[in-house]
């Protein structure tokens, strides 16, 4: 691993000190909010950068004392020198990870979309299993799940389910779930015991606060229709559901709560999120063509994971990870093991790219 330039560490510390000083001087509420966010992001990096600089200073001092005339002091300095040398790599690694450029949307809430793919009824059942997995994982993480719309499968599960998930750092962890998820298992209706393969697609869209997307009213077609509650259980007798079509892009969003006013607001919010995601995809595509340090998160057409029930196996194809704990993963309890491995691999690739650029 390449050494971190001292100038880079000093740059981070200087910026942190500037932010702290400005926070104590400004009275503008919007600036205070922006500075507070930057302060929270910079503090762990600045603290570790200061610790690393101090440790390097101690290393230099110990090295100097090793060559001094006092043999007893030189021996103590030698012990300190080699102790610091052992501690430095781990601290440098920690600081390197903190210095990796962050996705600006990692702390954002998300819109989660799970849709049945190939496989008929079995695909819808699998989509239901995936959504329950994410719901359980969200509960473990302390996130809030709010179902926006769902379409039941004929034999159970979902043809489609869309939900908002709110919490700390949701997108940063859930973004790795986007793509095609494949299941291999024996359907309940299969009398011969043959393993079938079905699929479901997962899309994770960031929903940052205050999305600035310009939408012209003449580019919208807004329709109202008969509404039903979640899962089709509570049929509403009024035409309160709202469907908004963005004509230039063809993006369609719907909301089917009981209030038409609320539905209009939620459908517009969903539209902004989808237009924002389209801009993200274009930028990600440009970056991906220029850099090869990504593991492919975000591509909805990419086969990302296989769930093999007969072998109790989950395989993530992006990082060649195989875990024989499907029962615990699909229950949401061990999904974090997969996500953490994906994040670690992403960090490793980015660190390698940083070393090449250094």
């Amino acid at each position: 691993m390449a050494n971190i330039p001292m100038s880079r560490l000093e740059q981070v510390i200087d910026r942190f000190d500037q932010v702290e000083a400005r926070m104590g001087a400004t009275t503008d509420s919007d600036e205070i909010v922006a500075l507070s966010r930057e302060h929270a992001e910079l503090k762990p990096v600045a603290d570790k950068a200061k610790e690393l600089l101090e440790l390097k200073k101690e290393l230099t001092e110990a090295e100097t004392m090793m060559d001094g005339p006092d043999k007893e002091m030189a021996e103590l300095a030698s012990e300190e020198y080699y102790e610091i040398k052992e501690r430095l790599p781990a601290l440098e690694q920690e600081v390197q990870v903190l210095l990796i450029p962050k996705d600006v949307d990692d702390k954002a809430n998300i819109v989660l979309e799970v849709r049945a793919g190939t496989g008929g009824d079995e695909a819808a059942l699998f989509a239901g299993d995936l959504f329950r997995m994410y719901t359980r994982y969200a509960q473990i993480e302390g996130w809030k799940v709010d179902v926006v719309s769902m379409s039941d499968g004929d034999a159970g599960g979902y043809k489609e389910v869309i939900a908002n998930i709110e919490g700390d750092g949701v997108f940063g962890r859930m973004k790795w779930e986007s793509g095609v998820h494949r299941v291999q298992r024996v359907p309940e209706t299969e009398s011969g015991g043959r393993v079938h393969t079905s699929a479901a697609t997962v899309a994770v869209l960031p929903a940052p606060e205050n999305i600035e997307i310009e939408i012209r009213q003449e580019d919208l077609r807004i329709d109202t229709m008969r509404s039903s509650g979640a899962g089709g259980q509570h049929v509403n007798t009024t035409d309160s559901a709202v469907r908004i079509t963005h004509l230039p892009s063809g993006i369609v969003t719907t909301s089917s709560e009981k209030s038409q006013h609320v539905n209009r607001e939620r459908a517009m919010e969903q539209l902004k999120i989808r237009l924002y995601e389209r801009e993200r995809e274009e930028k990600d595509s440009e970056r991906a063509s220029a850099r090869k340090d990504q593991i492919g998160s975000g591509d909805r057409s990419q086969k990302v994971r296989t769930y093999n029930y007969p072998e109790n196996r989950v395989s993530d194809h992006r990082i060649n990870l195989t875990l024989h704990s499907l029962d615990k993963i699909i229950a949401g309890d061990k999904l974090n093991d997969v996500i953490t491995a994906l994040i670690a691999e992403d960090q490793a690739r980015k660190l390698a790219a940083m070393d090449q650029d250094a």
Side-chain angles (χ1 to χ4, degrees), residues 70-264:
D70 189 324
K71 289 186 177 180
E72 187 175 342
M73 288 296 294
E75 188 176 333
L76 290 171
S78 178
E79 291 178 6
E80 183 180 5
Y81 175 83
Y82 288 107
E83 180 189 340
I84 294 172
K85 286 280 283 187
E86 287 185 7
R87 290 168 54 197
L88 264 177
L91 184 56
E92 286 182 327
Q93 168 82 11
E94 196 173 350
V95 175
Q96 280 272 36
V97 170
L98 289 169
L99 287 173
I100 292 173
K102 303 294 188 296
D103 186 330
V104 295
D105 292 321
D106 272 356
K107 293 187 178 297
N109 299 323
I110 66 166
V111 174
L112 172 68
E113 302 176 348
V114 183
R115 293 182 175 86
T118 56
D121 289 342
E122 179 63 16
L125 290 169
F126 180 49
D129 293 337
L130 288 177
F131 184 68
R132 281 187 292 275
M133 175 180 74
Y134 295 133
T135 301
R136 170 61 180 157
Y137 180 59
Q139 290 173 344
I140 293 170
E141 293 294 317
W143 301 335
K144 177 186 174 184
V145 179
D146 177 25
V147 175
V148 175
S149 66
M150 59 173 61
S151 174
D152 294 335
D154 296 334
Y158 302 114
K159 294 178 182 176
E160 175 187 271
V161 56
I162 300 173
N164 294 329
I165 302 182
E166 300 177 3
D168 183 31
V170 181
F171 184 70
R173 300 198 71 79
M174 286 292 292
K175 64 183 178 182
W176 310 103
E177 295 304 298
S178 285
V180 177
H181 294 241
R182 185 177 64 170
V183 64
Q184 296 171 331
R185 63 185 175 188
V186 180
E188 293 181 7
T189 56
E190 173 56 59
S191 57
R194 291 175 298 178
V195 174
H196 286 225
T197 299
S198 305
T201 60
V202 175
V204 177
L205 287 63
E209 297 178 7
N210 303 319
I211 301 175
E212 295 183 5
I213 298 287
E214 183 180 353
I215 300 176
R216 300 187 307 170
Q217 196 63 32
E218 56 265 34
D219 289 339
L220 301 178
R221 185 177 72 238
I222 301 176
D223 302 307
T224 57
M225 51 195 174
R226 186 63 54 88
S227 173
S228 62
Q233 300 299 312
H234 308 287
V235 176
N236 193 336
T237 57
T238 61
D239 293 335
S240 63
V242 172
R243 179 175 61 214
I244 297 179
T245 304
H246 185 248
L247 300 175
S249 65
I251 294 174
V252 178
T253 60
T254 61
S255 181
S256 52
E257 296 295 321
K258 292 183 178 180
S259 164
Q260 188 175 121
H261 176 70
V262 171
N263 285 334
R264 186 180 290 259

